[in-house]
Amino acid sequence: MIYVGVDIAKLNHFASALSSDGEVLIEPFKFTNDRDGFDLLESKLESFEKDSIIIGLESTAHYGDNLVRYFVADSYNVCVINPIQTSTMRKNNIRKTKTDKVDTFIIAKTLMLQKDRRLISFYDLDLMDLKTLGRFRQKTVKQRTRLKIQLTAYVDEVFPELQYFFRSGLHQKSVYALLKEAPTPKEITSLHMTHLAKLLEVSSRGHFTKEQAKELRALAKRSVGANDSALSIQITHTISQIELLDSQLKKIEAEMTDIMQFHDSVILSIPGIGFINGGMILGEIGNIYRFSSPCKLLAFAGLDPSVYQSGNFNAKSTRMSKRGSRALRYALVNAAHNVVKSNATFKNYYDKKMAEGRSHYNALGHCAGKLVRIIWKMLTDNVEFNLE
């Protein structure tokens, strides 16, 4: 076998190659993080059989993703190494040396000594996409939530009585349509009644009638809100931002749905887990064979109990560690909430924890831990959900 070690950086990478006997087949060289650089590396490997080559690189955020995708698509064997493993190899060197060129040899040697080597597949690339999309979705939802809170504060100043008229809340299409056209009570009263009634009827899909439009106009006339042009601008711009984020979320979720439908994962057989939540869970877990037991996956999600021991004291009841992937923990707890509503066994388990005096979220955390063990078993054995 030929082991190619690649040291990843932002602009330029270094690579070298060793044989199974440790012979240097390709001396360390630099190549750029672009098509020309990737072609250069590939040209260096052309004299060897593809099946005999394994390209290894450290897991370094997003900087190596393009290289991985390029060579996996070109049918090369690619392996991503945990930096902890290369760090151990580096410490075994007698001389304390760290350069990009030396690191390529260390990565190649680490790759050579690995017994449980996992090669990157197209499925792994899709899992990477699910992970990035899931995390981007979370950030987008948080941005939208902050904007909705700001919008509520602006409306409280301009038209405080509006929240009593729209009992379903301010954040609905009919309210947004109204405020984009008439963000203050004065502008609402200046709208022609026919136009106001039509605006509410169309935006609410017939939910609001002309009589309700008259009530809204009368409410606007009596409003104690501030007729402030600065607040009007903030209201209209904030609504535009919220609607933009809504459209972005739809595109993100559509892409995640396409990936999940293509792979038709067994995780979708769990009642209460859909394309989005299931996609977030799969994306964060990645290759399930990274975890040799469900306990390790539980710890990765931060759902394992923390340990507190001092002298002869050993705490019997502790909180969850909340280490590892926050996004995975969020997705699992959210999934557990849906599964409890959909599955009798999980509902009974949840009720049991509540009867023990647990809080709602604590009980859901225990349900999420139970769900992790089931997911690990399903993914490793590729079997559908079954509690019988």
Side-chain angles (χ1 to χ4, degrees):
M1 293 298 292
I2 298 163
Y3 302 95
V4 180
V6 182
D7 185 63
I8 299 294
K10 183 176 182 178
L11 301 177
N12 298 294
H13 310 317
F14 276 83
S16 65
L18 300 176
S19 68
S20 300
D21 299 326
E23 178 188 356
V24 179
L25 300 178
I26 300 176
E27 291 288 346
F29 68 96
K30 181 169 73 173
F31 64 97
T32 53
N33 184 24
D34 55 25
R35 182 59 181 261
D36 291 339
F38 294 175
D39 287 344
L40 175 61
L41 174 58
E42 191 169 17
S43 68
K44 298 271 187 179
L45 302 176
E46 281 179 350
S47 57
F48 309 111
E49 292 290 332
K50 277 188 180 181
D51 291 341
S52 66
I53 299 172
I54 301 179
I55 300 173
L57 63 152
E58 290 178 304
S59 176
T60 51
H62 62 279
Y63 295 118
D65 287 356
N66 289 336
L67 184 74
V68 170
R69 293 178 188 278
Y70 180 88
F71 281 97
V72 169
D74 208 10
S75 302
Y76 279 90
N77 298 317
V78 181
C79 180
V80 177
I81 303 170
N82 191 323
I84 295 175
Q85 294 175 296
T86 53
S87 177
T88 303
M89 177 70 72
R90 193 177 290 111
K91 289 177 182 177
N92 291 335
N93 282 348
I94 297 175
R95 295 182 63 188
K96 187 177 180 180
T97 306
K98 187 190 183 312
T99 65
D100 293 335
K101 293 181 179 181
V102 171
D103 281 349
T104 60
F105 288 132
I106 290 173
I107 292 169
K109 289 177 182 176
T110 303
L111 192 63
M112 191 188 306
L113 297 174
Q114 270 190 337
K115 294 181 180 179
D116 57 342
R117 192 183 304 124
R118 289 184 296 272
L119 300 177
I120 301 297
S121 65
F122 284 104
Y123 177 62
D124 293 314
L125 298 182
D126 282 343
L127 291 180
M128 289 166 57
D129 287 339
L130 285 173
K131 180 179 179 179
T132 55
L133 286 169
R135 292 191 174 190
F136 185 59
R137 179 182 178 276
Q138 270 197 314
K139 291 177 183 178
T140 306
V141 169
K142 286 181 180 178
Q143 289 176 347
R144 187 181 62 177
T145 301
R146 284 194 294 266
L147 288 170
K148 286 184 176 181
I149 293 171
Q150 289 177 1
L151 179 60
T152 302
Y154 298 148
V155 174
D156 284 344
E157 288 189 68
V158 171
F159 196 173
E161 300 86 355
L162 195 64
Q163 59 185 312
Y164 302 110
F165 182 80
F166 292 98
R167 292 187 178 88
S168 299
L170 297 175
H171 305 291
Q172 51 182 300
K173 289 183 178 180
S174 52
V175 180
Y176 287 179
L178 172 67
L179 292 177
K180 281 196 297 183
E181 189 160 338
T184 65
K186 185 178 179 180
E187 289 174 295
I188 291 173
T189 55
S190 65
L191 289 176
H192 193 279
M193 179 51 65
T194 304
H195 178 68
L196 178 60
K198 189 68 175 177
L199 176 66
L200 290 176
E201 182 187 359
V202 172
S203 59
S204 66
R205 294 184 178 180
H207 181 72
F208 289 103
T209 63
K210 188 173 182 178
E211 291 301 317
Q212 289 171 305
K214 289 179 180 178
E215 291 176 22
L216 176 60
R217 193 175 187 184
L219 189 66
K221 287 181 179 179
R222 299 193 307 270
S223 176
V224 295
N227 185 33
D228 192 328
S229 59
L231 284 171
S232 299
I233 293 172
Q234 292 175 85
I235 287 172
T236 54
H237 285 201
T238 303
I239 291 173
S240 297
Q241 289 177 299
I242 292 172
E243 290 178 335
L244 174 62
L245 292 177
D246 282 337
S247 66
Q248 290 175 341
L249 281 170
K250 286 181 181 178
K251 292 178 182 178
I252 295 168
E253 291 172 357
E255 182 64 25
M256 293 180 73
T257 300
D258 287 344
I259 296 173
M260 291 297 289
Q261 286 179 329
F262 178 78
H263 291 288
D264 193 24
S265 171
V266 292
I267 199 175
L268 296 174
S269 66
I270 300 176
I273 293 185
F275 296 125
I276 306 306
N277 213 19
M280 287 185 66
I281 292 171
L282 289 180
E284 291 297 324
I285 291 175
N287 190 322
I288 189 62
Y289 298 106
R290 297 190 300 157
F291 306 98
S292 57
S293 70
C295 293
K296 291 184 178 180
L297 178 56
L298 198 71
F300 178 70
L303 291 170
D304 58 322
S306 55
V307 178
Y308 186 82
Q309 184 271 332
S310 179
N312 295 326
F313 174 76
N314 192 359
K316 294 181 180 179
S317 179
T318 58
R319 297 174 181 269
M320 68 173 67
S321 66
K322 290 190 177 181
R323 299 291 180 92
S325 171
R326 181 184 297 178
L328 177 58
R329 186 165 59 254
Y330 163 83
L332 286 168
V333 172
N334 189 41
H337 178 69
N338 293 331
V339 175
V340 165
K341 293 188 293 185
S342 307
N343 182 266
T345 304
F346 269 87
K347 180 65 167 65
N348 294 335
Y349 185 69
Y350 170 83
D351 291 340
K352 177 187 173 184
K353 291 300 175 183
M354 291 294 287
E356 293 173 0
R358 311 273 185 179
S359 67
H360 168 66
Y361 287 107
N362 189 287
L364 278 184
H366 280 83
C367 291
K370 184 180 180 70
L371 186 61
V372 164
R373 292 177 173 85
I374 293 172
I375 289 174
W376 183 85
K377 179 69 174 175
M378 290 172 62
L379 293 178
T380 51
D381 295 346
N382 195 31
V383 294
E384 293 191 350
F385 178 78
N386 186 6
L387 285 178
E388 296 179 0

